[in-house]
């Protein structure tokens, strides 16, 4: 496979490495990843994360194993284990399906080419949706975003952060409010790091401050990514997105979801059919990362920890995809059923 370089994954001279997102922003550590067990562990610990990137990571690993002369049967077993690593992001399943189709058609030798294609396609999809989305962002806009949707979460410039990146590079003056994103702090740890690297003026807030900023008239638009968009436009994204959408509706703030067609699941009729990953109690009882580990709740405190929530289509102003920007009428008309 040829060398492939992104902000948080790289394949170079036969070695696959992942930038350990659990250690950001304080430590930039690249970890080698040479086995299915290692990739599954990294995906589940969110050392590699973001819907598009986990699909790319799993594909690069399978391609790497094919180059190490793994058998077709072994690759099929590994592909199914990788598919089950996280249940909500449909990009992972889409990538595995494409890799398995390549395996069926051309055997293990076909996997490196397919993984390269998936990587390069993701870079292009990001560029396209970010460019389309940037047209909606006016000079002087005050934006708000949730979780991390940038170059750490994709092979390219990202989804919602991709829009911000391109609008900023076009010379538009922007200010971005960054939700810290409890429980795993993707906003505070990763988006704040990406905003600083891009030179975008930003302010970090706790998630529960967003409504007040909207009430104060300080937010013009909210941009978020997605892990799965159902055929009727309902979508799953990092838990906390739904509260933002409800608040945006009440305060009449535009609310956009930004995603590639690979995030659309046209076989999923609506948000109630999206599988939601439930995670460990310890993530809510405390927090861990490059700063260490702390737990503040009683160890026996019962916890509810869904990693994602579902935002109904009726709360969305626009769906910014690589194929175009769609409004509620177009989505209700079934345009998503032709994608994905
Ligand atoms: O649990 P994570 O950090 O993988 O969740 C990521 C998100 O929710 C993103 O918004 C989503 O994957 C889209 S990113 C391009």
């Amino acid at each position: 496979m040829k060398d492939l370089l992104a902000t948080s994954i790289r394949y170079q001279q036969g070695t696959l490495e992942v930038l350990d997102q659990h250690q950001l922003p304080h430590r930039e550590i690249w970890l080698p990843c040479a086995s299915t067990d290692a990739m599954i562990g990294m995906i589940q610990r969110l050392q590699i994360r973001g819907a598009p990137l986990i699909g790319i990571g799993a594909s690069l690993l399978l391609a790497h194993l094919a180059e190490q002369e793994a058998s077709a049967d072994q690759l099929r077993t590994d592909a199914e284990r990788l598919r089950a690593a996280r249940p909500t992001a449909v990009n992972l399943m889409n990538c595995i399906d494409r890799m398995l189709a390549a395996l069926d058609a051309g055997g293990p030798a076909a996997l490196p080419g397919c993984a390269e294609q998936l990587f390069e396609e993701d870079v292009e999809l990001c560029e396209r949706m970010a460019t389309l989305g940037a047209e909606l962002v006016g000079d002087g806009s005050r934006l708000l975003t949730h979780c991390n949707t940038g170059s750490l979460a994709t092979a390219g410039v990202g989804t919602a952060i991709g829009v911000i990146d391109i609008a900023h590079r076009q010379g538009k003056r922007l200010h971005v409010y960054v939700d810290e994103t409890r429980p795993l702090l993707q906003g505070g740890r990763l988006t704040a790091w990406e905003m600083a690297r891009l030179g975008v003026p930003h302010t970090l807030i706790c998630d529960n401050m967003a409504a007040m900023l909207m009430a104060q008239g300080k937010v013009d638009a909210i941009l978020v990514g997605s892990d799965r968009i159902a055929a009727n436009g309902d979508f799953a994204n990092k838990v906390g997105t739904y509260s933002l959408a409800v608040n945006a509706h009440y305060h009449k703030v535009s609310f956009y979801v930004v995603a590639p067609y690979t995030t659309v699941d046209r076989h999923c009729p609506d948000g109630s059919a999206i599988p939601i990953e439930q995670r460990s109690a310890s993530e809510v009882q405390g927090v861990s990362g490059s700063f260490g580990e702390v737990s503040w709740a009683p160890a026996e405190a019962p916890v509810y920890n869904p990693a994602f929530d579902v935002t109904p289509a009726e709360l969305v102003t626009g769906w910014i995809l690589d194929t175009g920007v769609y409004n509620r009428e177009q989505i209700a008309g079934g345009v998503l059923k032709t994608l994905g």
Side-chain angles (χ1 to χ4, degrees):
M1 194 159 42
K2 70 179 180 193
D3 287 357
L4 297 163
L5 306 175
T7 301
S8 64
I9 196 160
R10 63 188 181 204
Y11 188 80
Q12 234 172 350
Q13 292 166 7
T15 304
L16 178 60
E17 288 182 310
V18 167
L19 177 63
D20 184 355
Q21 297 197 34
H22 196 64
Q23 294 298 324
L24 287 176
H26 301 121
R27 284 195 285 269
E28 295 183 24
I29 298 170
W30 286 87
L31 301 172
C33 182
S35 72
T36 302
D37 283 345
M39 180 55 80
I40 290 173
M42 284 183 193
I43 290 174
Q44 291 178 339
R45 288 189 294 272
L46 273 62
Q47 290 169 295
I48 175 172
R49 47 153 296 284
L53 197 71
I54 60 176
I56 302 295
S59 306
L60 290 177
L61 190 262
L62 287 172
H64 177 62
L65 296 177
E67 285 188 333
Q68 306 295 306
E69 296 182 359
S71 68
D73 281 352
Q74 185 59 51
L75 289 164
R76 273 192 201 94
T77 306
D78 288 352
E80 294 309 334
R81 291 183 59 219
L82 287 160
R83 184 203 294 281
R86 289 192 80 186
T88 305
V90 78
N91 309 63
L92 174 60
M93 294 78 185
N94 284 337
C95 281
I96 296 294
D97 286 345
R98 296 252 305 255
M99 292 293 282
L100 285 174
L103 183 64
D104 288 344
L111 293 192
C114 183
E116 281 172 15
Q117 225 172 36
L118 288 166
F119 183 101
E120 283 165 358
E121 183 191 48
D122 192 55
V123 174
E124 274 168 38
L125 295 174
C126 285
E127 202 67 32
R128 260 186 256 150
M129 70 189 128
T131 305
L132 285 170
E135 285 171 28
L136 303 175
V137 176
D139 186 31
S141 290
R142 295 151 314 160
L143 307 170
L144 189 146
T145 193
H146 192 65
C147 196
N148 172 267
T149 61
S151 63
L152 289 170
T154 64
V157 291
T159 59
I161 289 182
V163 171
I164 292 166
D165 181 4
I166 300 273
H168 173 67
R169 281 195 259 155
Q170 288 170 344
K172 290 173 184 164
R173 287 162 302 164
L174 307 176
H175 193 91
V176 179
Y177 291 103
V178 176
D179 261 5
E180 75 174 350
T181 318
R182 268 294 282 159
L184 294 181
L185 307 173
Q186 288 93 331
R189 296 186 296 112
L190 308 175
T191 298
W193 181 83
E194 282 209 55
M195 289 293 112
R197 272 172 47 121
L198 296 173
V200 177
H202 59 284
T203 303
L204 182 60
I205 59 166
C206 297
D207 303 343
N208 49 10
M209 298 166 188
M212 185 175 170
L213 281 174
M214 290 185 229
Q216 291 170 342
K218 290 183 177 161
V219 182
D220 300 307
I222 297 175
L223 297 165
V224 296
S226 174
D227 283 68
R228 191 183 297 230
I229 304 179
N232 74 338
D234 296 350
F235 74 94
N237 192 45
K238 181 51 54 192
V239 67
T241 302
Y242 174 49
S243 316
L244 281 179
V246 171
N247 277 307
H249 185 71
Y250 181 80
H251 294 102
K252 300 186 173 41
V253 171
S254 300
F255 182 89
Y256 295 102
V257 56
V258 190
Y261 83 93
T262 47
T263 302
V264 175
D265 182 357
R266 64 193 161 92
H267 304 295
C268 179
D270 59 50
S272 68
I274 299 177
I276 300 294
E277 177 185 3
Q278 301 292 323
R279 292 186 61 87
S280 144
S282 62
E283 294 176 353
V284 175
Q285 290 164 334
V287 73
S288 72
S290 53
F291 38 78
E293 191 170 347
V294 58
S295 182
W296 51 76
E300 66 280 5
V303 164
Y304 176 51
N305 186 15
F308 302 95
D309 59 24
V310 173
T311 297
E314 66 195 270
L315 297 180
V316 181
T317 310
W319 289 253
I320 301 170
L321 270 58
D322 53 288
T323 49
V325 179
Y326 305 105
N327 61 28
R328 231 172 280 153
E329 290 66 40
Q330 292 167 302
I331 296 294
V335 68
L336 293 178
K337 292 189 188 117
T338 63
L339 308 172

